[in-house]
Amino acid sequence: MSEQVVFTFDVDGDDFTSAGHASMQVKKNLRQLGIDPDIIRRVSIAMYEGEINMVIHARGGVATVSVSEEYIEIILKDEGPGISDIEQAMQEGFSTAPDNIRTLGFGAGMGLPNMKRYTDYMNIESQVGVGTTITMRVNLE
Amino acid sequence: MTVNDLCNIEGFNPLTLPEGDREISGVYIGDLLSWVMGKARSDNAWITIMSNINTLAVASLTDVACVILAEGVTLEEEVKNAAENKGINVITSAYSAYDTALILSKAQ
Ligand SMILES: Nc1ncnc2c1ncn2[C@@H]1O[C@H](COP(=O)(O)OP(=O)(O)O)[C@@H](O)[C@H]1O
Ligand SMILES: [Mg+2]
C-alpha cells in the first residue's frame, strides 16, 4: 500500500462567512494531486455541506480528509448538540436552522441528503449532548 | 456562448470577469444554496439573487461558468474582491430571473 495523504482543518464555529475555507482548500489540494475533476466536485460539495452544518448547528469542529488508493475519506467531528433522530435529519427538507441562516440561502434541509448523494459511503454517529461524527467516502476506482 | 459574449448583451454587465472565455452550457436558477449544489452542473450559468460570500463558495464548488445576479442585484466591494480572487465570473442582469433565462436561451 502506498502512502496516505492527510489534511486536517479546524472549522471555526463563530465565523459563518469564512465557512467553506476547508472545502475550498481541499479542492485545491486534490487538484494538485491530479484527482479527477468530477470526484473533486463530489468530495468538495459533500464536505462543504458538512462544514456548513458544523458551523450552523454545532459551533464548529474538526475536518480530516485522507486520500488512499481506494477512496477519499472525509471525517467531520464536532462536539455540538448531537442529532436525536438521524433518520428525520436525513429527510429532504428537514431543518432546524434559524431564520437568519435562511436569509443567507442555507437551511433548506438538503445538506445531509446532498452529502449522501455525492458520496459512495456515509455514516453518522451522534450522541445528544456529546457531538456528531460523520464519515464519508468517495471511491477512486 | 462564452461569458464575454453574454456581457455584450444589453442589460448584462460584468462585476468580475476573471475567466470571461468560459463557455456557458445550460442554466440553473435558484437561491437555496443546497439545491444549487445538488442540481447545478459544471459550466451552467447560475441565475440567483443571492449575493453574499457563500454564493461564491457554491459557485466555485459547483464549477458553474458564471453567476448571474438577476433584478440588478450587485456585489458588495468585499465580496467582489473575493470573487476576483477566486476566479469567479459574476454578471449583473437588469432583468428578472425568468427574462434573463429567456435571453440566454435565445442567445445560445
Ligand atoms: N453537525 C450537526 N450537529 C447537530 N445537528 C446537525 C448537524 N448536522 C445536521 N444537523 C441536524 O440535521 C438537520 C438537517 O441537516 P441538513 O440536511 O444539512 O439541513 P440544514 O442544514 O439546511 O438544516 C439540521 O437542521 C440539524 O437539525
Ligand atoms: Mg445543512
Side-chain angles (χ1 to χ4, degrees):
Chain A
M1 197 89 330
S2 70
E3 83 286 10
Q4 268 211 347
V5 185
V6 182
F7 313 112
T8 305
F9 303 90
D10 276 316
V11 177
D12 187 347
D14 303 317
D15 193 358
F16 195 73
T17 53
S18 79
H21 168 82
S23 327
M24 303 289 261
Q25 191 58 47
V26 163
K27 188 183 165 185
K28 230 178 261 175
N29 293 355
L30 294 181
R31 208 186 272 156
Q32 274 163 9
L33 290 175
I35 308 282
D36 175 74
D38 186 55
I39 288 185
I40 296 179
R41 192 172 187 275
R42 289 167 56 204
V43 167
S44 53
I45 290 176
M47 182 171 168
Y48 182 62
E49 289 282 14
E51 201 186 336
I52 290 287
N53 277 354
M54 287 202 294
V55 177
I56 298 175
H57 306 293
R59 303 181 303 269
V62 177
T64 310
V65 178
S66 53
V67 184
S68 69
E69 244 166 68
E70 305 88 66
Y71 50 75
I72 298 173
E73 184 174 71
I74 308 155
I75 300 175
L76 304 164
K77 191 172 166 50
D78 69 61
E79 295 174 357
I83 303 172
S84 57
D85 185 340
I86 292 175
E87 205 182 310
Q88 182 185 43
M90 284 298 301
Q91 277 167 19
E92 295 194 354
F94 177 83
S95 175
T96 61
D99 282 347
N100 66 317
I101 298 299
R102 285 177 210 278
T103 60
L104 292 169
F106 288 105
M110 291 292 288
L112 292 174
N114 271 351
M115 288 156 73
K116 176 128 188 107
R117 149 203 243 136
Y118 280 127
T119 56
D120 295 304
Y121 168 88
M122 174 170 163
N123 180 252
I124 303 178
E125 241 172 80
S126 192
Q127 213 179 323
V128 173
V130 178
T132 301
T133 300
I134 299 184
T135 305
M136 295 179 282
R137 287 179 198 146
V138 174
N139 293 340
L140 285 171
E141 53 236 11
Chain B
M1 179 174 58
T2 67
V3 181
N4 281 330
D5 297 335
L6 177 67
C7 295
N8 290 327
I9 299 175
E10 202 192 314
F12 290 78
N13 290 299
L15 300 172
T16 61
L17 202 53
E19 293 191 33
D21 53 1
R22 278 197 67 171
E23 193 70 32
I24 297 172
S25 158
V27 171
Y28 188 80
I29 305 177
D31 302 318
L32 295 176
L33 300 178
S34 287
W35 277 88
V36 179
M37 284 189 281
K39 305 279 180 179
R41 274 171 284 138
S42 291
D43 301 324
N44 276 175
W46 169 28
I47 304 175
T48 182
I49 50 167
M50 278 291 166
S51 62
N52 60 55
I53 196 86
N54 308 107
T55 305
L56 303 182
V58 170
S60 169
L61 294 170
T62 52
D63 196 33
V64 291
C66 63
V67 179
I68 304 178
L69 299 174
E71 310 282 8
V73 171
T74 57
L75 292 179
E76 277 176 32
E77 202 56 32
E78 195 189 339
V79 181
K80 190 173 151 170
N81 292 338
E84 201 78 63
N85 288 336
K86 290 188 166 122
I88 298 162
N89 301 315
V90 184
I91 319 298
T92 180
S93 157
Y95 310 104
S96 69
Y98 173 71
D99 287 327
T100 299
L102 279 184
I103 292 168
L104 270 149
S105 164
K106 272 186 208 146
Q108 267 185 40

